[in-house]
Amino acid sequence: MEFTRRRVLSLLSATGLAAVLPAHAASARAASPEAAPAAATPPEAASRADGRATGAERLLANAVAVAAGTSVSNARPETAAKLAAAAEAAASHLAAMDAAGEDEVFAGLPLGSDDAPLNTTFRQLYEIALAARAPGLGPLPGHPDPDAVRRRVIDALALLHERYYGDQDKGYYGNWFTWEIGISTSVTATLVLLADEVAAQRPALSGAYLAAMDAYLRNGKDGDVDLDSRFHTGANLADITTNRLLQGALSGGPDGEARIRKALEDQLTVYATIDPYALEHGVTDGHYADGSFIQHHSVAYTGSYGKGLLTRVTQTLKLLDGTGYADTSVLVPVIHRWVADGFAPVIFEGWMMEIVKGRAVSRTGTGYADTAAVAEAVTDLSGYAAGARAAALKSYVKHLHALARPSPDPARFASPLTVVHYADLLADESVPAADLNPAERHTAFNAMDKTVHRRPGYAFALSRSSARISKYEYMSGENLMPWFQGEGAHYLYLAGQDQSQAFGVDHFTTVSPYGLAGVTAPVERRRTVPELYGKPYYDNPDHPLHFTASSESQNTYVYFPCGTGSHSGGAVLGAYGVAAMVQSDDVAYAHRARLPDDFAVYRNATATKSWFLLDEEIVVLAACVGDPAGRAVTTTIDARVAAPEDRVTLTGARLDGTNWSPGARHGGGTGPQPGTSTSSAPETGRLRWLRYANQTRGTSVGYLFLDAGHSVTVALEPVTRSRRVVRTANPDTAVTRQVFGASFRQAPRTGRIALAYALLPNATESALRSYGEESTHSGGPLAVLANTPRLQAIRHRGLGLVAANSFAAGHHTVAGLRLDGPASVLVREEGANGRGGGRITVAASDPTTRRPRLSVLLRGRRLAAVAADPGVTARAAPGGTLLRFPTHHAYGRTFAVTLRER
C-alpha cells in the first residue's frame, strides 16, 4: 500500500513537511535524519510479525502489545500496579455480570434507552478482555480459566449486537459521540485483543460489528469519514481514524488495506497547521502557527481535546511501527512542535492552565492529572525522536515528574510499554530534568485569544474572546456558570505552591462567576442552562434555527458562543508582551431578534482593556468601563482562594500614607490583628497599594493602584458550596475556601470610568511601600501615558520600554510614537547610556487580524534597520523614521525590527 506523494503533500502542505513516504520501517528509519529506534514496540511484537507477516498483521500485533503489554514488559516490577488494577477492575466487572438483571450485561447498567450505560457496558467488556489477554497476569480472582473469560466477553458482544446495537432503527439515541467514537473505540479494541478467539468461536461477529460501526458513522459519508463534516475534525477525527485503522487490519484483504489507507490519509490531515485564510474543508480545529489549538470550531482546547489528540497521534506512531504503511519519522518534528510551542507554555510546574480546558475546568480531576497524559505521550514520542529533540523531550518528562503534585502515576498510563519506558527514562542519570520553556517567556496565542506570561516566580494566564473565539464552553451540564471566563479573566500561578489548593474545580466552586479575577461584569443574576430550560440544552427543533442537542444553533448560541468584537490580540518583544481586548456582547445577544422568544440572552458590560506584561509587574488599564443599560458594574482586580486553616494577611496603605488593614480605623489604629483567618466584611476605601499574603503557603501578591480616582473594595470571606454547582455530574461534596477579592464597584447609572492598576506577584511590603512613595514623589518606574477608549499606553523607565495599544482608526500619538489605526506596539531602547550602541527594537501586531498593514512613526529620530522580520521596512519620513509592518494574513502575528542611529 502506498500514499501518492502529491496526495501527501496536498494534505500536509501547511506544515512544511517534505512528505510522508511509503516505506518499510527499516528503510524509512535509515533514510530519515530523525530516525531513532522505537522504544515503544517490544521484541515480542516483531517476532509475532516476522518478515513473512503482512503490514496488517504487524499492526494488530503492535496494537495488542501496546494495550496489553508483553511478557517482558509485564514481568517488570514497574508494571505490577497497573496490571493489578486491571485485574481488580476485570474481577469487579465479572462480578457485576454475575449479578446482572434483565436488560443488563452488568448490574446497574440498564440497556435500551440511555446511551451512557451502553457505552459503559462496552468499555467494561474491553477492560475484561484486556485483563484476560495481558501476558503474565494469570487467572483473574475467582475465574481460573482465561479462555472461559474471553468466551464470556465474546458472547456478551454477540448479545449486545443482537439486542441493543445491531438494529439501526433502534440505535443512535443520546450523544452522537457515543455512537461514532465511544462505542467504536471499545468494540474495536476488544475485537483486536480477542481476534483469534472471535475468528474461532463467532467468525461472523467482527464483520457484523464493522458493518454496524460504519452505519453508525452518520456524520460521515457512505459509512466512512467525511472531512467536510464538522464532527470529523481534530481530536475527534484522530479517534475515528485510529479505530478505522485497526478495523482495516481486522478485515484483512484488499478491502482492509483500502480502509487502512483511507484512515491514514484522513488522519494525516490533523498534522497540518491550520491556515485561517485557506481552510481545508472549512476546518478551524487543530494546531495553529502560534501554538494555539482549537476544537469545536472556536474553543481554546489544548488542555482537553488537545491532549486527547496528542495521545492519539503518539499511539499511531506505535501502531504503525514496522508496518511499512508510512514513514512516521517525518511526523515527529510536527508533534514535537505541538509539545514545545503549544503544551509547554500552558503547563506551569506540572499544572495545566485553566485557560485551555473549556468545560473541563468544572471536572474534579486536577491540572496535574491533565499533564500526566502529556507526560505519557511525550514519553512515547521521545522513543521516536533523535538527537537534541529526543534529549529535550526526555528532560521535559523528568521535569513534569519532578514538579507535578503528585507526580504522574504510571499505573494510569494506557500501555504497560509506556510504563516501562517511563521508568527507564526516569532512571537514566544522564538525562537532566529541564523545562521546554525558558525561565522567562511570553507567548501570545492570538489564534485562540489567550496569553501566557512566565517568570521564574510566577505565570500569568489571560483568557480573551472575540468574534473568532468563544467566550466560554458549556455542554452536557458541565461548566454551568461560565459566562465571564473569556472576558479578560486571569489566573496568576505562584511558584512553589500546590495549584490544586488555589485553582481547579474548587476555585470555580467558591469564587463567584461574576467575580473572577480580571473580569468586568454587570451586577445581575444569570441562570444556568438546566435552570432555564429544565435540561442540559435548549430544545426547539421546530424553530427555523432548529435547536437540538448537537445542532449548529446549539453550538453557536448555547454551548460555546463567540463575542461580537474583532479587537483581541497582542504583541511580543522578547520575553515582554502586551495584550488588548474590547469587551463585547456575545452572539446570542446580538442575534436576539432572530432567536425564539423563550431563549434567554444576556447583555454584557463594556470595557476597553490592556495588559502590559513585564518582569515584576503586570499592568492593567481599562477605559470605558460601565454599562449601557445602567446596571451596577464590578471590575475584579484579583480573586484568590485559600484553605480554611491557612493564615491569610491583608495589608495596605491609604492615599495619605497611613496603614490599612481589615477593620482598622482611618487614623492608622491597629484594629484587629491582620491576617486572621476569620471572615472580613467587605471594606471600601482609596488605597495606594494592597498586599495579599498566605503566610501558611508562603505566597503573596501586591496590587499597586496607579489611578487614585476610584475606591477599592476588599473582602476576605469563607465560602462553602457544593462542587455540583459547577457541574451536574460532580459529587455533592461541600468545599470551603477563604475567598479574597479586590474590586472596583460602580453604582447604577454612574457613567463610564477608567481604571489603572498593577499586579506584583510575590511582592513584599517594603517593595510596595517603595512603589507607593516613588509614585507620589518621583513618578516611580511605571507611568501611565494614556488610558482612553482610543489609546492605552505605559512607560517603564527601568526597562527602557514603552508599550501601547490603539483601538480606533486614525493617528494616535504617545511618547514619541505615532500609531496608525488599531495596533499593539512595544518599543524598547537598550544601550542609551552608551552600552549596546543605542539600539531600539520595535514589535507590532494587528489585534483585529483584519489589517493589511500597520505603521509606526518614531518621531524626531533618523534610524536605520539592523535586523528585521521579513516584510518589515524602515525609512526616513517627515518627522522621524517610519516603520511599516506587513500584517496582511498574519492572524495577529508579531513583527519586529531593530534599529539604531544612522
Side-chain angles (χ1 to χ4, degrees):
M1 186 190 80
E2 295 185 354
F3 293 113
T4 65
R5 183 178 179 87
R6 178 176 295 179
R7 171 64 171 157
V8 170
L9 288 173
S10 173
L11 290 172
L12 299 174
S13 59
T15 67
L17 293 175
V20 178
L21 301 176
H24 292 285
S27 61
R29 292 187 180 282
S32 171
E34 297 297 330
T41 303
E44 288 91 330
S47 67
R48 285 193 300 271
D50 57 20
R52 293 170 295 176
T54 67
E57 289 169 339
R58 175 65 187 246
L59 182 60
L60 291 175
N62 287 347
V64 172
V66 166
T70 68
S71 58
V72 173
S73 69
N74 295 1
R76 290 277 296 265
E78 295 89 352
T79 60
K82 177 171 182 58
L83 296 174
E88 182 180 355
S92 175
H93 298 335
L94 287 165
M97 289 184 80
D98 294 336
E102 187 177 0
D103 288 326
E104 292 180 335
V105 172
F106 299 100
L109 295 175
L111 304 176
S113 60
D114 186 347
D115 62 316
L118 182 62
N119 189 36
T120 301
T121 295
F122 278 113
R123 189 185 71 247
Q124 292 184 176
L125 286 175
Y126 161 73
E127 290 170 354
I128 296 172
L130 180 65
R133 172 59 68 201
L137 187 58
L140 296 172
H143 300 273
D145 185 357
D147 290 335
V149 171
R150 291 191 281 266
R151 284 195 299 272
R152 194 169 183 184
V153 171
I154 294 170
D155 289 343
L157 285 177
L159 181 146
L160 287 168
H161 187 276
E162 178 183 352
R163 297 185 185 178
Y164 305 104
Y165 185 74
D167 187 342
Q168 293 288 309
D169 292 332
K170 295 180 180 179
Y172 213 92
Y173 44 85
N175 193 322
W176 75 271
F177 185 96
T178 298
W179 300 93
E180 299 204 20
I181 296 178
I183 291 174
S184 295
T185 298
S186 298
V187 169
T188 302
T190 305
L191 292 174
V192 168
L193 287 170
L194 304 183
D196 292 341
E197 290 86 347
V198 170
Q201 297 170 30
R202 293 181 180 266
L205 187 61
S206 285
Y209 263 106
L210 264 59
M213 287 187 283
D214 287 351
Y216 279 122
L217 209 60
R218 297 187 184 178
N219 289 300
K221 185 176 182 180
D222 299 326
D224 197 354
V225 165
D226 180 5
L227 295 179
D228 292 315
S229 169
R230 64 187 174 92
F231 296 88
H232 294 183
T233 64
N236 289 336
L237 177 62
D239 286 339
I240 294 169
T241 52
T242 299
N243 290 338
R244 294 184 69 77
L245 183 73
L246 295 173
Q247 291 161 13
L250 285 167
S251 297
D255 289 344
E257 290 288 304
R259 184 184 289 247
I260 292 171
R261 173 174 181 156
K262 176 64 162 51
L264 285 175
E265 288 192 355
D266 290 338
Q267 188 170 124
L268 284 172
T269 63
V270 305
Y271 292 89
T273 302
I274 300 294
D275 179 354
Y277 303 103
L279 296 175
E280 294 287 340
H281 304 282
V283 173
T284 58
D285 290 356
H287 288 271
Y288 287 69
D290 66 2
S292 298
F293 176 81
I294 291 173
Q295 186 78 29
H296 290 165
H297 186 69
S298 58
V299 178
Y301 236 151
T302 314
S304 186
Y305 275 84
K307 65 184 176 69
L309 175 60
L310 181 66
T311 295
R312 278 302 190 197
V313 297
T314 53
Q315 180 189 45
T316 300
L317 296 179
K318 295 187 291 184
L319 295 178
L320 294 176
D321 189 36
T323 63
Y325 287 130
D327 177 7
T328 55
S329 65
V330 293
L331 301 177
V332 172
V334 180
I335 307 172
H336 174 263
R337 186 181 69 81
W338 294 355
V339 174
D341 296 340
F343 285 91
V346 298
I347 296 173
F348 180 68
E349 294 189 344
W351 180 269
M352 181 69 72
M353 294 177 176
E354 273 68 17
I355 61 171
V356 290
K357 292 180 62 173
R359 68 185 188 270
V361 294
S362 64
R363 297 172 187 168
T364 55
T366 73
Y368 296 124
D370 292 323
T371 58
V374 176
E376 179 180 1
V378 174
T379 297
D380 286 334
L381 181 62
S382 70
Y384 291 89
R389 180 171 285 117
L393 291 170
K394 291 175 182 178
S395 290
Y396 189 54
V397 171
K398 274 198 171 181
H399 168 80
L400 295 177
H401 176 83
L403 291 182
R405 303 184 183 190
S407 298
D409 180 7
R412 300 178 69 86
F413 288 179
S415 173
L417 306 182
T418 310
V419 174
V420 170
H421 189 185
Y422 185 75
D424 290 342
L425 194 159
L426 295 181
D428 188 347
E429 295 182 357
S430 70
V431 177
D435 198 351
L436 286 171
N437 297 288
E440 298 182 350
R441 185 177 192 180
H442 182 91
T443 307
F445 293 112
N446 287 329
M448 61 179 182
D449 282 346
K450 303 294 178 275
T451 303
V452 176
H453 187 71
R454 304 171 69 102
R455 288 297 185 269
Y458 70 90
F460 179 85
L462 175 66
S463 182
R464 300 176 275 109
S465 59
S466 66
R468 304 176 297 275
I469 295 299
S470 300
K471 287 179 175 285
Y472 55 81
E473 188 197 35
Y474 159 84
M475 193 185 294
S476 303
E478 295 190 293
N479 204 20
L480 291 166
M481 300 184 291
W483 308 292
F484 303 101
Q485 290 171 5
E487 302 290 14
H490 75 248
Y491 307 87
L492 179 56
Y493 305 94
L494 302 177
Q497 70 172 337
D498 181 350
Q499 304 298 341
S500 66
Q501 296 299 306
F503 295 102
V505 64
D506 293 343
H507 181 89
F508 292 100
T509 296
T510 53
V511 174
S512 166
Y514 315 96
L516 296 176
V519 163
T520 294
V523 176
E524 64 182 3
R525 184 190 180 277
R526 299 187 177 189
R527 291 188 292 166
T528 69
V529 170
E531 286 175 332
L532 286 166
Y533 310 121
K535 59 179 64 177
Y537 57 93
Y538 176 71
D539 194 30
N540 194 339
D542 296 328
H543 188 270
L545 290 174
H546 188 65
F547 283 92
T548 60
S550 57
S551 65
E552 290 191 62
S553 294
Q554 196 81 221
N555 293 347
T556 300
Y557 298 113
V558 181
Y559 289 161
F560 26 87
C562 291
T564 51
S566 64
H567 197 117
S568 179
V572 183
L573 197 167
Y576 301 101
V578 59
M581 184 183 78
V582 177
Q583 191 161 298
S584 64
D585 289 314
D586 70 17
V587 68
Y589 183 82
H591 294 176
R592 59 194 180 278
R594 70 178 70 165
L595 293 170
D597 291 340
D598 63 341
F599 190 94
V601 297
Y602 295 104
R603 189 176 191 179
N604 209 356
T606 63
T608 298
K609 291 188 177 182
S610 291
W611 296 262
F612 303 94
L613 301 129
L614 311 174
D615 287 325
E616 299 175 357
E617 310 96 345
I618 298 155
V619 182
V620 184
L621 303 184
C624 198
V625 180
D627 179 55
R631 295 166 297 181
V633 172
T634 298
T635 298
T636 302
I637 300 160
D638 203 10
R640 306 195 68 80
V641 303
E645 66 274 12
D646 287 357
R647 185 165 185 262
V648 176
T649 64
L650 301 177
T651 53
R654 300 183 179 88
L655 292 183
D656 61 7
T658 59
N659 292 338
W660 175 92
S661 63
R665 293 190 295 265
H666 180 69
T670 59
Q673 175 65 35
T676 60
S677 294
T678 57
S679 63
S680 169
E683 296 191 16
T684 300
R686 294 193 175 184
L687 301 180
R688 182 177 297 167
W689 59 265
L690 171 69
R691 182 174 185 262
Y692 166 94
N694 186 327
Q695 297 186 354
T696 304
R697 308 287 174 176
T699 58
S700 65
V701 183
Y703 308 94
L704 183 66
F705 302 104
L706 304 174
D707 180 349
H710 304 285
S711 296
V712 179
T713 298
V714 181
L716 178 65
E717 301 174 294
V719 175
T720 300
R721 293 195 183 101
S722 168
R723 286 175 174 166
R724 198 166 284 174
V725 302
V726 294
R727 181 172 178 257
T728 56
N730 281 347
D732 190 14
T733 303
V735 175
T736 300
R737 290 288 186 269
Q738 297 181 73
V739 178
F740 159 77
S743 60
F744 298 104
R745 299 185 179 182
Q746 296 168 248
R749 296 176 293 280
T750 55
R752 304 182 188 186
I753 64 173
L755 306 168
Y757 57 93
L759 285 71
L760 283 72
N762 305 307
T764 63
E765 279 198 31
S766 60
L768 289 165
R769 290 185 187 279
S770 176
Y771 266 108
E773 292 172 2
E774 289 176 343
S775 297
T776 301
H777 300 104
S778 61
L782 277 174
V784 176
L785 305 179
N787 189 12
T788 73
R790 287 180 53 83
L791 178 68
Q792 295 174 332
I794 67 159
R795 183 199 305 275
H796 194 290
R797 292 183 176 84
L799 297 175
L801 182 73
V802 170
N805 284 315
S806 51
F807 297 90
H811 295 315
H812 311 272
T813 301
V814 63
L817 304 175
R818 191 191 72 190
L819 312 183
D820 175 22
S824 293
V825 177
L826 298 103
V827 180
R828 191 177 189 197
E829 185 166 3
E830 299 178 272
N833 57 2
R835 295 193 300 268
R839 294 191 175 196
I840 298 173
T841 301
V842 182
S845 73
D846 167 26
T848 72
T849 74
R850 296 178 174 180
R851 303 191 62 192
R853 69 189 63 83
L854 60 85
S855 63
V856 176
L857 180 70
L858 301 180
R859 289 184 173 275
R861 307 179 75 170
R862 297 180 64 83
L863 303 168
V866 295
D869 286 337
V872 180
T873 63
R875 65 174 180 84
T881 301
L882 182 65
L883 309 177
R884 291 192 182 275
F885 300 89
T887 54
H888 178 64
H889 282 190
Y891 217 62
R893 173 189 163 195
T894 297
F895 295 86
V897 58
T898 300
L899 313 106
R900 64 181 175 191
E901 300 283 353
R902 289 181 179 271

